[in-house]
């Protein structure tokens, strides 16, 4: 990098082709399956085009612009273009209409970017709130190339000027537990600094290429994969989300030097891996990175065996513009179970009286540095509690050893980390309390061998009310994204209270007897055992992939912890076992072992013979 002074990303992105060691303007910057690569010069032109289109649409400097696009190169280029001149606010396309309504109302953006002709519930929420929609039409030939409609003719429009280092580049909501989700404002200086920290930690250069499978509405994908790669002068493969069946095809096609992901994705990759070290002669991988949730040491060891490269575990959070600590590259010491040493901001540990404590003493992890947010938007009470003497309180508990390596031992904040997805417990409480039959509701974490944590809720019903857990889950599924819907809803006569009379979350799973082994797969639905050999084989596959036992005929896939990643794994196993190709839409429509068995038995002419399938 030609200078280490944090600058505005607008200036970085507006002159992307002039990065060090990248004089070739036709060198690739964004790549994607089935498309030609976008060059550095092409990315610069696309960013400039966005600046003109936004100006023509009436967007002004420092305005907020929401983005709701599927993962891929268009999302990457749109974020870069918007963030270079305005405050970008990426949103999860999986949100329900009520969630979009909340986030859009809280953001008050001057415009929302959506795919052309999209029927996303975001459009309905925007229409109701009077937010202008700008439609994005992708060029099917080139990765990241698109045009924006919904604005006046932009040909003669004067582009918005690049933002300054201290101006807001990114707005992301983060989950709280005692209030509604908080809005984090990150400046260009915050993002530049964090990306630079990652470049240094991983020794990234213009020769590096990242395979990004992380969502681009999360800080992990935006900063760790995208911005750090561009800051180093390298390139990024923008995958259309994480798809385990395609992962190794992408690895062979694009020959990345690294990829970064959350532990559940790494585990899905391992399920499809071949013999140890098989990839060594087939690629140019330099390392694998993991962040956003604790990486089990056994998974780290398996990854290193399969890829024959070091696995680098890091520690990040939205308020720090992602990276706070990281294990170093070899030959320095990497320590499984530790998230590494400070890799950007300063890290310290505070004791019970907010005093700084020495090595090997547990306390709250606090940070400070140029990558740390200055505070939450319009939330003075949250800011007052979040900072102590200039240090930001992470809410995580841990200790530093004598060598400066940080080990996390728990979390002080009441947030569920479901495989890297951070879920506000209070948000679930409030959604359930909208149900007319619910008197009290308290969400809590339940242990999960695969995800680390999943969502449980204790509910007290109104007098003489009648609502089954399945009814309440259906109610929530219309209001919350799938990953937020509780796996277990327990109806109780009374929720345990603390000494001050407050409803307690911590320890609630144990008090109610909800443990990993005791969570019934049916989640409120009566258990029906598999009957035929086909049903037994399907149920066994679900048990192996979901790590939930037993699995009954009528157990709903999503309700017992399933998601699109695990669905893809089961579909692949069905193809191997039965010789039948089932699409993901067909799989989710079937929804249960019973439904999937019926679908397969209808496909007998394609190789399914119930009498010859060993159960």
């Amino acid at each position: 990098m030609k200078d280490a002074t944090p600058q505005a990303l607008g200036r970085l992105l507006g002159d992307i082709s002039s990065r060090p060691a990248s004089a070739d303007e036709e060198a690739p910057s964004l790549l994607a399956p089935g498309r030609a690569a976008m060059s550095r010069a092409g990315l610069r032109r696309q960013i400039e085009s966005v600046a003109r289109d936004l100006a023509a649409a009436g967007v002004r400097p420092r305005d907020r612009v929401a983005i709701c696009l599927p993962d891929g190169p268009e999302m990457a280029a749109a974020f870069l273009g918007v963030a270079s001149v305005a405050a970008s606010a990426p949103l999860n396309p999986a949100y329900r209409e009520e969630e979009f309504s909340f986030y859009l109302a809280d953001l008050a953006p001057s415009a929302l970017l959506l795919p052309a002709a999209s029927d996303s519930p975001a459009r309905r929420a925007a229409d109701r709130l009077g937010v202008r929609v700008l439609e994005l039409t992708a060029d099917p030939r080139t990765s990241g190339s698109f045009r924006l409609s919904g604005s006046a003719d932009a040909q003669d429009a004067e582009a918005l000027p690049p933002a300054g280092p201290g101006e807001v580049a990114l707005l992301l909501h983060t989950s709280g537990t005692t209030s509604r989700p908080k809005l984090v404002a990150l400046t260009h200086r915050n993002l530049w600094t964090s990306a630079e920290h990652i470049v240094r930690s991983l020794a990234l250069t213009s020769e590096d290429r990242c395979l990004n499978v992380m969502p681009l509405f999360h800080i992990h994908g935006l900063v760790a994969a995208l911005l750090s790669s561009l800051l180093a002068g390298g390139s990024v493969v923008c995958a259309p989300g994480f798809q385990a069946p395609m992962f190794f095809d992408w690895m062979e096609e694009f020959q990345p030097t690294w990829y970064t992901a959350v532990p559940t994705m790494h585990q899905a990759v391992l399920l499809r891996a071949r013999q140890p070290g098989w990839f060594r002669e087939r690629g140019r991988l330099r390392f694998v990175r993991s962040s956003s949730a604790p990486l089990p040491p056994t998974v780290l060891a398996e990854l290193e065996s399969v890829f024959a490269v070091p696995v680098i575990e890091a520690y990040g959070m939205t308020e720090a513009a992602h990276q706070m600590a990281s294990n170093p590259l070899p030959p320095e010491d990497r320590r499984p179970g530790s998230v590494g040493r400070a890799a950007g901001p300063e890290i310290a540990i505070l004791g019970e009286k907010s005093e700084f404590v020495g090595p090997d003493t547990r306390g709250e992890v606090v940070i400070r540095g140029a990558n740390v947010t200055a505070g939450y938007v319009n939330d003075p009470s949250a800011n007052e509690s979040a900072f102590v003497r200039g240090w930001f309180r992470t809410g995580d508990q841990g200790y530093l050893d004598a060598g400066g390596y940080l080990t996390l031992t728990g979390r002080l904040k009441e947030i569920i980390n479901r495989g890297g997805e951070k879920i506000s417990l209070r948000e679930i409480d409030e959604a359930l309390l909208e149900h007319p039959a619910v008197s009290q509701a308290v969400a809590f974490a339940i242990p999960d061998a695969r995800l680390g944590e999943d969502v449980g809720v204790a509910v007290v019903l109104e007098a003489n009310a009648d609502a089954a857990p399945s009814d309440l889950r259906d109610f929530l599924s219309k209001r919350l994204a799938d990953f937020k819907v509780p796996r277990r809803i327990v109806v109780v006569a009374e929720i345990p209270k603390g000494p001050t009379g407050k409803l307690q979350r911590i320890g609630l799973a144990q008090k109610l007897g909800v443990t990993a082994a005791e969570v019934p797969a049916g989640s409120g639905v009566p258990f029906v055992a598999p009957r035929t050999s086909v049903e037994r084989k399907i149920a066994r596959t679900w048990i192996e992939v979901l790590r939930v036992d037993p699995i009954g005929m009528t157990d709903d896939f999503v309700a017992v912890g399933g998601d699109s990643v695990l669905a893809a794994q089961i579909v692949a196993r069905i193809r191997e076992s039965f010789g039948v190709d089932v699409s993901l839409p067909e799989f989710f429509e079937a929804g249960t072992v019973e439904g999937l068995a019926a679908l397969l038995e209808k496909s007998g002419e394609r190789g399914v013979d119930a009498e010859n399938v060993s159960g």
Side-chain angles (χ1 to χ4, degrees):
M1 292 174 287
K2 62 184 176 188
D3 85 57
T5 303
Q7 299 181 28
L9 288 174
R11 304 188 188 286
L12 162 67
L13 303 173
D15 191 27
I16 197 74
S17 65
S18 68
R19 298 309 301 157
S22 61
D24 180 6
E25 287 200 341
E26 298 310 309
S29 58
L30 303 181
L31 305 94
R35 317 266 291 280
M38 173 174 276
S39 67
R40 290 182 171 85
L43 180 55
R44 185 187 67 243
R45 290 191 295 271
Q46 184 64 62
I47 290 169
E48 292 170 348
S49 175
V50 171
R52 287 193 302 273
D53 288 342
L54 293 179
V59 175
R60 297 162 299 179
R62 301 180 186 85
D63 274 2
R64 299 174 179 180
V65 177
I67 309 171
C68 183
L69 300 171
D71 287 317
E74 284 72 45
M75 176 61 206
F79 161 69
L80 298 173
V82 172
S84 68
V85 295
S88 67
L91 298 174
N92 185 346
Y95 285 146
R96 305 292 194 237
E97 185 175 342
E98 289 191 13
E99 291 169 303
F100 280 120
S101 294
F102 165 78
Y103 291 118
L104 289 175
D106 199 45
L107 287 165
S110 59
L112 167 66
L113 270 58
L114 286 176
S118 166
D119 62 351
S120 166
R123 184 185 297 273
R124 297 189 290 276
D127 289 344
R128 189 166 65 247
L129 294 168
V131 176
R132 183 170 192 173
V133 172
L134 302 180
E135 294 192 328
L136 183 149
T137 301
D139 179 348
R141 298 165 297 179
T142 304
S143 300
S145 179
F146 62 85
R147 59 182 177 83
L148 287 180
S149 60
S151 63
D153 187 357
Q155 292 301 316
D156 299 323
E158 184 176 347
L160 293 173
E167 293 178 10
V168 174
L170 178 62
L171 291 160
L172 291 174
H173 281 92
T174 186
S175 296
T177 59
T178 58
S179 63
R180 69 180 193 170
K182 297 183 286 290
L183 184 58
V184 180
L186 296 169
T187 65
H188 290 264
R189 182 178 288 111
N190 295 148
L191 296 178
W192 176 292
T193 303
S194 187
E196 189 175 66
H197 292 162
I198 296 166
V199 170
R200 291 176 176 174
S201 299
L202 303 177
L204 298 178
T205 72
S206 59
E207 298 301 311
D208 280 302
R209 174 173 295 168
C210 176
L211 171 58
N212 179 47
V213 293
M214 289 299 301
L216 289 174
F217 52 81
H218 275 185
I219 197 71
H220 185 159
L222 290 172
V223 176
L226 182 63
L227 292 184
S228 68
S229 296
L230 295 178
L231 186 59
S235 56
V236 188
V237 180
C238 301
F242 177 67
Q243 299 176 18
M246 297 301 299
F247 180 84
F248 284 103
D249 292 338
W250 293 336
M251 291 289 286
E252 295 200 55
E253 178 181 358
F254 293 105
Q255 294 293 297
T257 60
W258 65 291
Y259 82 91
T260 183
V262 297
T264 50
M265 292 179 180
H266 292 308
Q267 289 170 301
V269 166
L270 289 173
L271 288 172
R272 305 192 67 82
R274 304 175 192 175
Q275 67 274 18
W278 77 273
F279 197 73
R280 187 180 310 174
E281 305 302 323
R282 306 172 70 90
R284 61 189 191 112
L285 205 66
R286 194 160 66 83
F287 61 86
V288 170
R289 183 178 184 273
S290 185
S291 188
S292 298
L295 182 68
T298 54
V299 176
L300 186 151
E302 286 185 67
L303 285 168
E304 293 195 341
S305 174
V306 167
F307 290 110
V309 297
V311 173
I312 307 301
E313 184 172 10
Y315 172 44
M317 69 185 306
T318 302
E319 291 91 334
H322 188 55
Q323 184 165 287
M324 297 181 284
S326 178
N327 275 278
L329 290 166
E332 295 188 71
D333 188 21
R334 289 172 294 115
R335 300 185 182 177
S338 165
V339 292
R341 306 179 303 207
E346 296 177 77
I347 296 178
I349 306 295
L350 292 184
E352 292 183 0
K353 299 179 181 179
S354 293
E355 79 283 11
F356 292 103
V357 299
D360 300 319
T361 302
R362 294 190 182 192
E364 183 176 8
V365 180
V366 294
I367 57 171
R368 69 179 180 184
N371 60 309
V372 180
T373 182
Y376 302 108
V377 177
N378 298 326
D379 201 337
S381 62
N383 290 327
E384 184 177 356
S385 61
F387 292 89
V388 55
R389 301 193 299 279
W391 292 79
F392 179 80
R393 308 178 68 163
T394 66
D396 291 319
Q397 184 188 68
Y399 62 89
L400 290 164
D401 66 15
Y405 283 78
L406 175 65
T407 298
L408 301 177
T409 57
R411 187 165 57 257
L412 303 176
K413 293 181 179 179
E414 296 175 344
I415 296 173
I416 289 178
N417 187 344
R418 186 183 186 273
E421 292 281 9
K422 307 296 175 58
I423 303 172
S424 163
L425 296 171
R426 187 175 179 87
E427 182 181 11
I428 298 169
D429 295 350
E430 292 176 349
L432 261 176
L433 289 171
E434 294 178 11
H435 193 288
V438 174
S439 171
Q440 293 180 331
V442 175
F444 57 92
I446 57 176
D448 185 284
R450 180 180 60 84
L451 298 169
E453 293 177 324
D454 212 330
V455 186
V457 181
V459 170
V460 175
L461 298 179
E462 295 283 0
N464 302 317
D466 183 21
S470 57
D471 298 329
L472 299 177
R473 189 175 295 104
D474 288 342
F475 177 83
L476 289 177
S477 69
K478 297 178 176 64
R479 289 160 174 77
L480 301 173
D482 289 340
F483 65 85
K484 298 179 184 178
V485 177
R487 174 179 170 189
R488 179 77 188 274
I489 297 178
V490 183
V491 178
V492 296
E494 183 180 4
I495 297 174
K497 297 179 178 65
T500 62
K502 293 183 179 179
L503 299 176
Q504 286 194 317
R505 301 185 198 277
I506 298 174
L508 194 53
Q510 290 77 13
K511 291 176 183 177
L512 297 177
V514 181
T515 67
E518 294 169 344
V519 176
S523 299
V525 179
F527 181 82
V528 179
R531 297 153 299 199
T532 69
S533 54
V534 170
E535 292 168 353
R536 287 192 293 273
K537 192 171 185 68
I538 294 171
R540 188 163 62 244
T541 301
W542 282 35
I543 290 169
E544 291 169 356
V545 173
L546 293 168
R547 299 185 183 180
V548 173
D549 191 2
I551 288 288
M553 291 290 295
T554 58
D555 291 341
D556 179 84
F557 179 74
V558 174
V560 296
D563 54 30
S564 57
V565 172
L566 299 176
Q569 295 174 30
I570 292 175
V571 165
R573 293 196 183 195
I574 287 172
R575 184 184 304 115
E576 294 171 2
S577 298
F578 298 103
V580 175
D581 286 317
V582 175
S583 69
L584 284 178
E586 288 177 327
F587 178 87
F588 280 106
E589 184 177 356
T592 64
V593 170
E594 185 176 50
L596 192 55
L599 179 62
L600 294 181
E601 289 170 346
K602 288 180 181 178
S603 305
E605 69 277 7
R606 291 187 284 170
V608 179
D609 183 351
E611 296 302 318
N612 294 322
V613 176
S614 60

